[in-house]
Amino acid sequence: TGAALAGLGKMQQGLYLVVFTVPISIILGYYLYFDFGILGVIYGQIIANIFVMIIATIYMRQLVSVNK
C-alpha cells in the first residue's frame, strides 16, 4: 500500500492512515496486556493490523476509483 500511495503521489494520505491507526494499536495492546499478559499485546497487534488492512483496502479502492 505504501508503494502504491507513493506512486500515486499521495504520501500525505498514508501519513493520515498511520496517525489514525497507531494510537488504536497502542491502546489495544495496553488494555489487553492487563487481561492476557504479553499475549494480550500480541492479540492487540493482530486486531489492530486487521483493522488497518481493512481501512487501507477501503481507502485504496476509493483512491483508485477516483483516479480512473
Coordinates of all heavy atoms in Angstrom, one line a residue:
T1 N 0.8 -1.2 0.0 CA 0.0 0.0 0.0 C 0.9 1.2 0.0 O 0.6 2.2 -0.7 CB -0.9 0.0 1.2 OG1 -1.7 -1.2 1.3 CG2 -1.9 1.2 1.2
G2 N 2.0 1.2 0.8 CA 2.8 2.4 0.8 C 3.5 2.7 -0.5 O 3.5 3.9 -0.9
A3 N 3.9 1.7 -1.3 CA 4.5 1.9 -2.6 C 3.4 2.4 -3.6 O 3.7 3.3 -4.4 CB 5.1 0.6 -3.1
A4 N 2.2 1.9 -3.5 CA 1.1 2.4 -4.3 C 0.8 3.9 -4.1 O 0.6 4.7 -5.0 CB -0.1 1.5 -4.2
L5 N 0.8 4.2 -2.8 CA 0.5 5.6 -2.4 C 1.6 6.5 -2.9 O 1.4 7.6 -3.4 CB 0.3 5.8 -0.9 CG -1.0 5.2 -0.4 CD1 -1.0 5.3 1.2 CD2 -2.2 6.0 -0.9
A6 N 2.9 6.1 -2.8 CA 4.0 6.9 -3.3 C 3.9 7.0 -4.8 O 4.2 8.1 -5.3 CB 5.3 6.2 -2.9
G7 N 3.5 6.0 -5.5 CA 3.4 6.0 -6.9 C 2.3 7.0 -7.4 O 2.4 7.6 -8.4
L8 N 1.3 7.1 -6.6 CA 0.2 8.0 -7.0 C 0.4 9.4 -6.5 O -0.4 10.3 -6.7 CB -1.1 7.5 -6.4 CG -1.7 6.2 -7.0 CD1 -2.8 5.7 -6.2 CD2 -2.1 6.4 -8.5
G9 N 1.5 9.6 -5.7 CA 1.8 10.9 -5.2 C 0.9 11.3 -4.0 O 0.6 12.4 -3.8
K10 N 0.4 10.3 -3.3 CA -0.5 10.5 -2.2 C 0.1 10.2 -0.8 O -0.4 9.5 0.0 CB -1.8 9.7 -2.4 CG -2.5 9.9 -3.6 CD -3.2 11.2 -3.6 CE -4.0 11.4 -4.9 NZ -4.7 12.7 -4.9
M11 N 1.3 10.7 -0.6 CA 2.0 10.4 0.7 C 1.3 10.9 1.9 O 1.4 10.3 3.0 CB 3.5 10.9 0.6 CG 4.3 10.1 -0.4 SD 4.4 8.4 -0.1 CE 5.3 8.4 1.4
Q12 N 0.7 12.1 1.8 CA 0.0 12.7 2.9 C -1.1 11.8 3.4 O -1.3 11.7 4.6 CB -0.5 14.1 2.5 CG -1.0 14.8 3.7 CD -1.4 16.3 3.3 OE1 -1.5 16.6 2.1 NE2 -1.7 17.1 4.3
Q13 N -1.8 11.1 2.5 CA -2.9 10.3 3.0 C -2.4 9.0 3.7 O -3.0 8.6 4.6 CB -3.7 9.8 1.7 CG -4.6 10.9 1.2 CD -3.8 11.9 0.3 OE1 -2.7 11.8 0.1 NE2 -4.6 12.9 -0.3
G14 N -1.2 8.5 3.3 CA -0.6 7.4 4.0 C -0.2 7.8 5.4 O -0.4 7.1 6.4
L15 N 0.2 9.1 5.6 CA 0.6 9.6 6.9 C -0.7 9.7 7.8 O -0.7 9.3 8.9 CB 1.2 11.0 6.8 CG 1.5 11.7 8.1 CD1 2.6 10.9 8.9 CD2 1.9 13.1 7.9
Y16 N -1.8 10.1 7.2 CA -3.0 10.1 8.0 C -3.5 8.8 8.4 O -4.0 8.6 9.5 CB -4.2 10.8 7.1 CG -4.0 12.2 6.8 CD1 -4.5 12.8 5.7 CD2 -3.3 13.1 7.7 CE1 -4.3 14.1 5.4 CE2 -3.1 14.4 7.4 CZ -3.6 14.9 6.3 OH -3.5 16.3 6.0
L17 N -3.3 7.8 7.6 CA -3.6 6.4 7.9 C -2.8 5.9 9.1 O -3.3 5.3 10.1 CB -3.5 5.5 6.7 CG -3.8 4.0 6.9 CD1 -5.3 3.9 7.2 CD2 -3.4 3.2 5.7
V18 N -1.5 6.2 9.1 CA -0.6 5.8 10.2 C -1.0 6.6 11.5 O -1.1 6.0 12.6 CB 0.8 6.0 9.8 CG1 1.7 5.8 11.0 CG2 1.2 5.1 8.7
V19 N -1.2 7.8 11.4 CA -1.5 8.7 12.6 C -2.8 8.2 13.2 O -3.0 8.2 14.4 CB -1.6 10.2 12.2 CG1 -2.2 11.0 13.3 CG2 -0.2 10.7 11.8
F20 N -3.8 7.7 12.4 CA -5.0 7.2 12.9 C -4.9 5.9 13.5 O -5.6 5.6 14.5 CB -6.1 7.2 11.7 CG -7.4 6.7 12.1 CD1 -8.2 7.4 12.9 CD2 -7.8 5.5 11.6 CE1 -9.5 6.9 13.3 CE2 -9.1 5.0 12.0 CZ -9.9 5.7 12.8
T21 N -4.1 5.0 13.0 CA -4.1 3.6 13.4 C -3.1 3.3 14.5 O -3.3 2.4 15.3 CB -3.8 2.7 12.2 OG1 -2.6 3.0 11.6 CG2 -5.0 2.7 11.3
V22 N -2.0 4.1 14.6 CA -1.0 3.8 15.7 C -1.6 3.9 17.1 O -1.4 3.1 17.9 CB 0.3 4.6 15.5 CG1 1.1 4.6 16.7 CG2 1.0 4.1 14.3
P23 N -2.3 5.0 17.4 CA -2.9 5.1 18.7 C -3.9 3.9 19.0 O -3.9 3.5 20.1 CB -3.7 6.4 18.7 CG -3.0 7.2 17.6 CD -2.6 6.2 16.6
I24 N -4.6 3.5 18.0 CA -5.5 2.3 18.2 C -4.7 1.1 18.6 O -5.1 0.4 19.5 CB -6.4 2.1 17.0 CG1 -7.3 3.2 16.7 CG2 -7.1 0.7 17.1 CD1 -8.1 3.2 15.4
S25 N -3.6 0.9 17.9 CA -2.7 -0.3 18.2 C -2.2 -0.2 19.6 O -2.1 -1.2 20.4 CB -1.6 -0.3 17.2 OG -0.7 -1.3 17.5
I26 N -1.7 1.0 20.0 CA -1.1 1.2 21.3 C -2.2 1.0 22.4 O -1.9 0.3 23.4 CB -0.5 2.5 21.5 CG1 0.8 2.6 20.5 CG2 -0.1 2.9 22.9 CD1 1.4 4.0 20.4
I27 N -3.3 1.5 22.2 CA -4.4 1.4 23.2 C -4.9 0.0 23.4 O -5.0 -0.5 24.5 CB -5.6 2.4 22.9 CG1 -5.1 3.8 23.1 CG2 -6.8 2.1 23.7 CD1 -6.1 4.8 22.5
L28 N -5.1 -0.7 22.3 CA -5.5 -2.1 22.3 C -4.4 -3.0 23.1 O -4.7 -3.8 23.9 CB -5.7 -2.7 20.9 CG -7.0 -2.5 20.3 CD1 -7.0 -3.0 18.9 CD2 -8.1 -3.2 21.1
G29 N -3.2 -2.8 22.7 CA -2.1 -3.5 23.3 C -2.0 -3.3 24.8 O -1.8 -4.2 25.6
Y30 N -2.2 -2.0 25.2 CA -2.1 -1.6 26.6 C -3.2 -2.3 27.4 O -2.9 -2.8 28.5 CB -2.2 -0.1 26.7 CG -2.1 0.4 28.1 CD1 -0.9 0.5 28.8 CD2 -3.3 0.9 28.8 CE1 -0.8 1.0 30.1 CE2 -3.2 1.4 30.1 CZ -2.0 1.4 30.7 OH -1.9 1.9 32.0
Y31 N -4.4 -2.2 27.0 CA -5.5 -2.7 27.7 C -5.6 -4.3 27.7 O -5.9 -4.9 28.7 CB -6.9 -2.2 27.3 CG -7.1 -0.7 27.7 CD1 -7.1 0.3 26.8 CD2 -7.2 -0.5 29.1 CE1 -7.2 1.6 27.3 CE2 -7.4 0.9 29.5 CZ -7.4 1.9 28.6 OH -7.5 3.2 29.1
L32 N -5.2 -4.9 26.6 CA -5.2 -6.3 26.6 C -4.0 -6.9 27.3 O -4.1 -8.1 27.7 CB -5.2 -6.8 25.1 CG -6.5 -6.6 24.3 CD1 -6.3 -7.0 22.9 CD2 -7.6 -7.3 25.0
Y33 N -3.0 -6.1 27.6 CA -1.9 -6.6 28.4 C -2.3 -7.0 29.8 O -1.9 -8.0 30.3 CB -0.8 -5.5 28.4 CG 0.4 -5.9 29.3 CD1 1.3 -6.9 28.9 CD2 0.5 -5.3 30.6 CE1 2.3 -7.2 29.8 CE2 1.5 -5.6 31.4 CZ 2.5 -6.6 31.0 OH 3.5 -7.0 31.9
F34 N -3.2 -6.2 30.3 CA -3.7 -6.4 31.7 C -4.5 -7.7 31.8 O -4.6 -8.3 32.9 CB -4.4 -5.2 32.3 CG -3.4 -4.0 32.5 CD1 -3.6 -2.9 31.7 CD2 -2.4 -4.1 33.4 CE1 -2.7 -1.8 31.9 CE2 -1.5 -3.0 33.6 CZ -1.7 -1.9 32.8
D35 N -5.2 -8.0 30.7 CA -6.1 -9.2 30.8 C -5.3 -10.5 30.4 O -5.6 -11.5 31.0 CB -7.3 -9.1 29.8 CG -8.2 -8.0 30.3 OD1 -8.3 -7.8 31.5 OD2 -9.0 -7.5 29.4
F36 N -4.4 -10.4 29.4 CA -3.8 -11.6 28.9 C -2.2 -11.6 29.0 O -1.6 -12.5 28.5 CB -4.1 -11.8 27.4 CG -5.6 -11.9 27.2 CD1 -6.3 -10.9 26.7 CD2 -6.3 -13.1 27.5 CE1 -7.7 -11.0 26.4 CE2 -7.6 -13.2 27.2 CZ -8.3 -12.2 26.7
G37 N -1.7 -10.6 29.6 CA -0.2 -10.5 29.7 C 0.4 -10.2 28.4 O -0.2 -9.4 27.6
I38 N 1.6 -10.8 28.1 CA 2.3 -10.4 26.9 C 1.5 -10.9 25.7 O 1.6 -10.3 24.6 CB 3.7 -11.0 26.9 CG1 4.6 -10.4 25.8 CG2 3.7 -12.5 26.8 CD1 4.8 -9.0 26.0
L39 N 0.7 -12.0 25.8 CA -0.2 -12.4 24.7 C -1.2 -11.4 24.4 O -1.6 -11.3 23.2 CB -0.8 -13.8 25.1 CG 0.1 -15.0 25.0 CD1 -0.7 -16.2 25.5 CD2 0.6 -15.2 23.7
G40 N -1.6 -10.6 25.4 CA -2.6 -9.5 25.1 C -2.0 -8.5 24.1 O -2.7 -8.0 23.3
V41 N -0.7 -8.2 24.3 CA -0.1 -7.3 23.4 C -0.1 -7.8 21.9 O -0.3 -7.1 21.0 CB 1.4 -7.0 23.8 CG1 2.1 -6.0 22.8 CG2 1.4 -6.3 25.2
I42 N 0.2 -9.1 21.8 CA 0.2 -9.8 20.5 C -1.2 -9.8 20.0 O -1.4 -9.5 18.8 CB 0.7 -11.2 20.7 CG1 2.2 -11.2 21.1 CG2 0.5 -12.0 19.4 CD1 2.7 -12.5 21.5
Y43 N -2.2 -10.1 20.8 CA -3.6 -10.0 20.3 C -4.0 -8.6 19.8 O -4.7 -8.5 18.8 CB -4.6 -10.5 21.4 CG -4.4 -11.9 21.8 CD1 -4.7 -12.3 23.1 CD2 -3.9 -12.9 20.9 CE1 -4.6 -13.6 23.5 CE2 -3.8 -14.2 21.3 CZ -4.1 -14.6 22.6 OH -4.0 -15.9 23.0
G44 N -3.6 -7.7 20.6 CA -3.8 -6.3 20.2 C -3.2 -5.9 18.9 O -3.9 -5.2 18.1
Q45 N -2.0 -6.3 18.6 CA -1.4 -6.1 17.4 C -2.1 -6.8 16.2 O -2.3 -6.2 15.1 CB 0.1 -6.5 17.4 CG 1.0 -5.7 18.3 CD 1.0 -4.2 17.8 OE1 1.3 -4.0 16.6 NE2 0.7 -3.3 18.7
I46 N -2.5 -8.0 16.4 CA -3.2 -8.7 15.4 C -4.6 -8.0 15.1 O -4.9 -7.8 13.9 CB -3.5 -10.2 15.8 CG1 -2.2 -10.9 15.9 CG2 -4.5 -10.9 14.9 CD1 -2.3 -12.3 16.5
I47 N -5.3 -7.6 16.1 CA -6.6 -6.9 15.9 C -6.4 -5.6 15.2 O -7.1 -5.3 14.3 CB -7.3 -6.8 17.2 CG1 -7.7 -8.1 17.8 CG2 -8.5 -5.8 17.1 CD1 -8.2 -8.1 19.2
A48 N -5.4 -4.9 15.6 CA -5.1 -3.5 15.1 C -4.7 -3.7 13.6 O -5.1 -2.9 12.7 CB -4.0 -2.8 15.9
N49 N -3.8 -4.7 13.3 CA -3.4 -4.9 11.9 C -4.5 -5.3 11.0 O -4.5 -4.9 9.8 CB -2.2 -5.8 11.9 CG -0.9 -5.2 12.3 OD1 -0.7 -4.0 12.1 ND2 -0.1 -5.9 13.0
I50 N -5.4 -6.1 11.5 CA -6.6 -6.5 10.7 C -7.4 -5.2 10.4 O -7.9 -5.0 9.3 CB -7.4 -7.6 11.4 CG1 -6.7 -8.9 11.4 CG2 -8.8 -7.7 10.7 CD1 -7.3 -10.0 12.2
F51 N -7.6 -4.4 11.4 CA -8.3 -3.1 11.2 C -7.6 -2.3 10.2 O -8.3 -1.7 9.3 CB -8.4 -2.4 12.6 CG -9.1 -1.1 12.5 CD1 -10.5 -1.0 12.4 CD2 -8.4 0.1 12.7 CE1 -11.1 0.2 12.3 CE2 -9.0 1.3 12.6 CZ -10.4 1.3 12.5
V52 N -6.3 -2.1 10.3 CA -5.5 -1.3 9.3 C -5.7 -1.9 7.9 O -5.8 -1.1 7.0 CB -4.0 -1.3 9.8 CG1 -3.2 -0.7 8.7 CG2 -3.9 -0.5 11.0
M53 N -5.6 -3.2 7.8 CA -5.8 -3.8 6.4 C -7.1 -3.5 5.8 O -7.2 -3.1 4.7 CB -5.6 -5.3 6.5 CG -4.2 -5.7 6.7 SD -3.8 -7.5 6.5 CE -5.2 -8.3 7.2
I54 N -8.2 -3.5 6.6 CA -9.5 -3.2 6.2 C -9.6 -1.7 5.8 O -10.1 -1.4 4.7 CB -10.6 -3.6 7.2 CG1 -10.6 -5.1 7.4 CG2 -11.9 -3.0 6.8 CD1 -11.4 -5.5 8.6
I55 N -9.1 -0.9 6.6 CA -9.2 0.6 6.3 C -8.4 0.9 5.1 O -8.8 1.7 4.2 CB -8.8 1.4 7.6 CG1 -9.7 1.2 8.7 CG2 -8.7 2.9 7.2 CD1 -11.1 1.6 8.5
A56 N -7.1 0.4 5.0 CA -6.3 0.7 3.9 C -6.8 0.1 2.6 O -6.7 0.8 1.5 CB -4.9 0.1 4.1
T57 N -7.5 -1.0 2.6 CA -8.1 -1.6 1.4 C -9.2 -0.7 0.9 O -9.4 -0.4 -0.3 CB -8.6 -3.0 1.7 OG1 -7.5 -3.8 2.1 CG2 -9.2 -3.6 0.4
I58 N -10.1 -0.3 1.9 CA -11.2 0.6 1.5 C -10.7 1.9 0.9 O -11.2 2.4 -0.1 CB -12.1 0.8 2.7 CG1 -12.8 -0.5 3.1 CG2 -13.1 1.9 2.5 CD1 -13.5 -0.4 4.5
Y59 N -9.7 2.4 1.6 CA -9.1 3.7 1.1 C -8.5 3.6 -0.2 O -8.7 4.4 -1.1 CB -8.1 4.2 2.2 CG -7.4 5.5 1.7 CD1 -8.1 6.7 1.7 CD2 -6.1 5.5 1.3 CE1 -7.5 7.8 1.3 CE2 -5.5 6.6 0.9 CZ -6.2 7.8 0.9 OH -5.6 9.0 0.5
M60 N -7.7 2.5 -0.5 CA -7.0 2.3 -1.8 C -8.1 2.1 -2.9 O -7.9 2.6 -4.0 CB -6.1 1.2 -1.7 CG -4.8 1.4 -0.9 SD -3.9 2.8 -1.5 CE -3.3 2.1 -3.1
R61 N -9.1 1.4 -2.6 CA -10.2 1.2 -3.6 C -10.8 2.5 -4.0 O -11.1 2.8 -5.2 CB -11.2 0.2 -3.2 CG -10.7 -1.2 -3.2 CD -11.7 -2.2 -2.8 NE -11.1 -3.5 -2.8 CZ -11.8 -4.6 -2.7 NH1 -13.1 -4.6 -2.7 NH2 -11.2 -5.8 -2.7
Q62 N -11.1 3.4 -3.0 CA -11.7 4.7 -3.3 C -10.7 5.6 -4.0 O -11.1 6.3 -5.0 CB -12.1 5.4 -2.0 CG -13.3 4.8 -1.3 CD -13.6 5.4 0.0 OE1 -12.9 6.2 0.5 NE2 -14.8 5.1 0.5
L63 N -9.4 5.5 -3.7 CA -8.4 6.3 -4.3 C -8.2 5.9 -5.8 O -8.1 6.7 -6.7 CB -7.1 6.2 -3.6 CG -6.0 7.1 -4.0 CD1 -6.3 8.5 -3.7 CD2 -4.7 6.8 -3.2
V64 N -8.2 4.6 -6.0 CA -8.1 4.1 -7.4 C -9.3 4.4 -8.3 O -9.1 4.8 -9.4 CB -7.8 2.6 -7.4 CG1 -7.8 2.0 -8.8 CG2 -6.4 2.3 -6.8
S65 N -10.5 4.3 -7.7 CA -11.7 4.6 -8.5 C -11.8 6.1 -8.8 O -12.3 6.5 -9.8 CB -12.9 4.1 -7.7 OG -13.1 4.9 -6.6
V66 N -11.3 7.0 -8.0 CA -11.3 8.4 -8.2 C -10.2 8.8 -9.3 O -10.5 9.6 -10.1 CB -11.0 9.2 -6.9 CG1 -10.7 10.7 -7.2 CG2 -12.1 9.1 -6.0
N67 N -9.1 8.1 -9.4 CA -8.0 8.4 -10.3 C -8.2 7.7 -11.7 O -7.4 7.8 -12.5 CB -6.7 8.0 -9.7 CG -6.3 8.9 -8.6 OD1 -6.6 10.1 -8.7 ND2 -5.5 8.5 -7.7
K68 N -9.3 7.0 -11.9 CA -9.5 6.3 -13.2 C -10.0 7.3 -14.2 O -10.6 8.3 -14.1 CB -10.5 5.2 -13.1 CG -9.9 4.0 -12.5 CD -10.9 2.8 -12.6 CE -10.3 1.6 -12.1 NZ -11.2 0.4 -12.2

